[in-house]
């Protein structure tokens, strides 16, 4: 039987585009052992008193806000005030806050002004809350309504900032998962960020590659004043990353750190909402130029999206005797990538709270969702959002990072 050269030719072509992508991925993952360790809960010291003002943007968050308010109430004297900026919720969010104010006098409720043209709702609410905050606070803490601050969060942030001279710290939280679909898909979506930017605590990224998470955005008041608050991220659907990269380009020290021990988050309910809501912003196109986005998509496709399929394809060819050395190399390379991916599940396990989860075992099969996760990033990268958190937008202009000079 004559051996077909086509499979080997295809394998050679795939290796040509896959090997450089693997080299880039390994260069990112190998920085992991030297990353900053996870933040630990700390106790406040007297000099921390009143240093922090928190801002919580809300829009129809009555089902998720209570754990956030309770977590902020557990913070001690270092937290000067909490400003809840509500965008005219219709679900009882304001009534919930007013009830909580009876027991927690640090809570303040305000409505932001109608959304100006060119602004997305979240950065506008944060900007409004920042303007209304006490100027005596040295730090502004942006907190999303779906987060659950743990005791010792703010002292931990203050100690870390002082010890390492950070101007901005954002945290990767511990994600609370409950339902089978999200347990399977969400870790695959999270892994796209690890493959692109390295692990939380990696401080080696250039300013234009800085990662951030607006669920816990801890910034010096003076830094926000210098760039006029959130205006640089006005029309960004990933305002956290847009703002963090703009701040990093000014020369400020920015850190995206592991906060799994000090903050939790319950982001989305189930598979469908996870796919629709989180997948829509993961491409970070509002914070990046087109070329790096396409480079990231190439790396993701070659190292996260294709490996299991290519491993199966090469195995079938070799069993049929229809492949030579190129197919063997391709199969071996993708076996290595599959092993790395399954091993990384152990590395990200502390980033998940599965205590109330149904179908916990699906977490270990999340690598099988990788092709879907990568496809979701491709879809998002080529679409402009028109709806976000209950608001409809006619357009959203691309934000360009400022020139630090």
């Amino acid at each position: 039987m004559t051996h077909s050269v086509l499979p080997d030719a295809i394998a050679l072509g795939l290796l040509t585009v896959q090997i450089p992508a693997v080299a880039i991925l390994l260069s990112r993952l190998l920085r992991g052992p030297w990353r900053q360790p996870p933040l630990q809960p700390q106790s406040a010291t007297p000099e921390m008193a009143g240093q922090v003002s928190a801002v919580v943007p809300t829009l129809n968050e009555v089902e998720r806000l209570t754990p956030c308010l309770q977590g902020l109430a557990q913070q001690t004297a270092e937290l000067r005030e909490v400003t809840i900026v509500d965008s005219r919720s219709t679900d009882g969010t304001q009534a919930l806050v007013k009830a909580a104010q009876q027991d927690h006098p640090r809570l303040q409720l305000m409505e932001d002004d109608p959304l100006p043209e060119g602004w997305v709702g979240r950065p506008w609410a944060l900007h409004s809350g920042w303007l209304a905050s006490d100027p005596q606070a040295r730090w502004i803490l942006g907190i999303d309504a779906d987060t659950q601050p743990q005791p010792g969060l703010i002292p931990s942030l203050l100690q870390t900032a002082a010890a390492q001279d950070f101007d901005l710290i954002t945290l990767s939280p511990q994600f609370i998962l409950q339902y089978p679909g999200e347990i399977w898909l969400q870790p695959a979506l999270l892994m796209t960020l690890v493959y692109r930017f390295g692990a939380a605590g990696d401080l080696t990224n250039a300013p234009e590659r800085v990662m951030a998470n607006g669920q816990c955005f801890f910034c010096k008041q003076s830094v926000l004043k210098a760039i006029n608050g959130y205006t640089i991220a006005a029309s960004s659907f990933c305002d956290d990353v847009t703002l963090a990269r703009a701040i990093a380009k000014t020369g400020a020290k920015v850190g995206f750190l592991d906060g799994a021990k000090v903050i939790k988050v319950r982001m989305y309910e189930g598979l469908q909402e996870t796919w629709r809501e989180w997948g829509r912003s993961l491409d970070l196109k509002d914070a990046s130029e087109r070329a790096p986005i396409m480079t990231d998509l190439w790396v993701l496709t070659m190292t996260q999206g294709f490996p299991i399929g290519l491993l199966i394809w090469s195995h079938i060819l070799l069993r049929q005797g229809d492949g030579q050395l190129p197919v063997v190399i391709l199969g071996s390379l993708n076996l290595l990538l599959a092993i790395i991916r399954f091993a990384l599940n152990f590395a990200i396990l502390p980033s998940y709270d599965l205590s109330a989860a149904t179908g916990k075992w699906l977490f270990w099969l999340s690598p099988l969702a990788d092709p879907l996760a990568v496809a979701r990033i491709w879809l998002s990268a080529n679409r402009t959002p028109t709806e976000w958190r209950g608001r409809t937008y006619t357009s959203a202009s691309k934000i360009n990072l400022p020139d630090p000079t």
Side-chain angles (χ1 to χ4, degrees), residues 4-28:
S4 173
V5 299
L6 182 59
D8 291 322
I10 294 173
L12 278 172
L14 288 168
L15 287 169
T16 300
V17 295
Q18 191 176 37
I19 288 175
V22 173
I24 292 172
L25 173 66
L26 292 177
S27 72
R28 294 169 180 171

Side-chain angles (χ1 to χ4, degrees), residues 22-284:
V22 173
I24 292 172
L25 173 66
L26 292 177
S27 72
R28 294 169 180 171
L29 296 182
L30 289 174
R31 301 195 303 255
W34 291 274
R35 70 189 183 106
Q36 294 284 314
L39 270 67
Q40 303 291 329
Q42 302 292 340
S43 298
T45 56
E47 62 271 17
M48 292 181 182
Q51 289 199 22
V52 180
S53 287
V55 178
V56 183
T58 59
L59 176 58
N60 295 328
E61 300 284 3
V62 71
E63 296 296 330
R64 304 195 292 179
L65 184 57
T66 296
C68 178
L69 297 181
Q70 291 174 340
L72 288 171
Q74 290 176 341
Q75 308 303 310
T76 47
E78 70 283 355
L79 181 58
R80 176 183 293 265
E81 60 184 352
V82 180
T83 303
I84 293 90
V85 186
D86 189 65
S87 300
R88 284 160 292 282
S89 295
T90 58
D91 67 344
T93 294
Q94 291 195 18
L96 174 65
V97 175
K98 290 175 182 177
Q101 285 178 308
Q102 304 302 314
D103 297 320
H104 306 296
R106 286 183 295 185
L107 298 182
Q108 303 177 31
L109 175 65
M110 63 172 284
E111 280 192 356
D112 52 2
D113 292 333
L115 193 64
E117 185 177 357
W119 282 81
V120 174
R122 184 176 181 277
W124 174 243
L126 288 165
H127 186 74
S128 301
W130 167 66
L131 290 174
S133 295
D134 191 330
Q136 298 302 312
R138 290 191 61 231
W139 293 86
I140 299 295
L141 174 62
I143 288 282
D144 278 2
D146 56 7
T147 62
Q148 301 178 15
Q150 303 299 297
L153 164 66
I154 297 179
S156 179
L157 287 166
L158 286 167
Q159 284 196 20
T160 302
Q164 301 188 48
D165 200 28
F166 281 114
D167 298 293
L168 167 64
I169 297 174
T170 71
L171 297 182
S172 172
Q174 186 178 63
F175 297 96
I176 301 170
L177 301 183
Q178 293 183 0
Y179 303 118
E182 67 190 75
I183 294 169
W184 180 65
L185 178 62
Q186 208 266 15
L189 290 169
L190 177 65
M191 195 60 66
T192 66
L193 295 174
V194 176
Y195 274 39
R196 293 161 67 187
F197 305 109
D202 181 357
L203 303 180
T204 62
N205 282 324
E208 64 274 10
R209 298 285 298 172
V210 162
M211 190 52 200
N213 177 24
Q215 291 166 328
C216 182
F217 196 94
F218 188 67
C219 188
K220 279 184 178 176
Q221 175 87 264
S222 58
V223 170
L224 283 175
K225 286 181 179 178
I227 62 169
N228 194 20
Y230 291 78
T231 54
I232 191 65
S235 60
S236 176
F237 285 93
C238 55
D239 57 276
D240 45 7
V241 179
T242 299
L243 193 61
R245 291 179 179 180
I247 291 171
K249 290 191 75 172
T250 69
K253 186 173 181 181
V254 173
F256 174 57
L257 307 181
D258 185 343
K261 296 184 178 181
V262 291
I263 192 163
K264 296 185 179 186
V265 60
R266 175 70 181 139
M267 285 179 64
Y268 302 118
E269 298 289 331
L271 176 66
Q272 183 177 1
E273 193 175 18
T274 301
W275 169 271
R276 183 181 66 249
E277 298 291 345
W278 201 31
R280 181 162 39 190
S281 61
L282 279 177
D283 61 277
L284 307 181

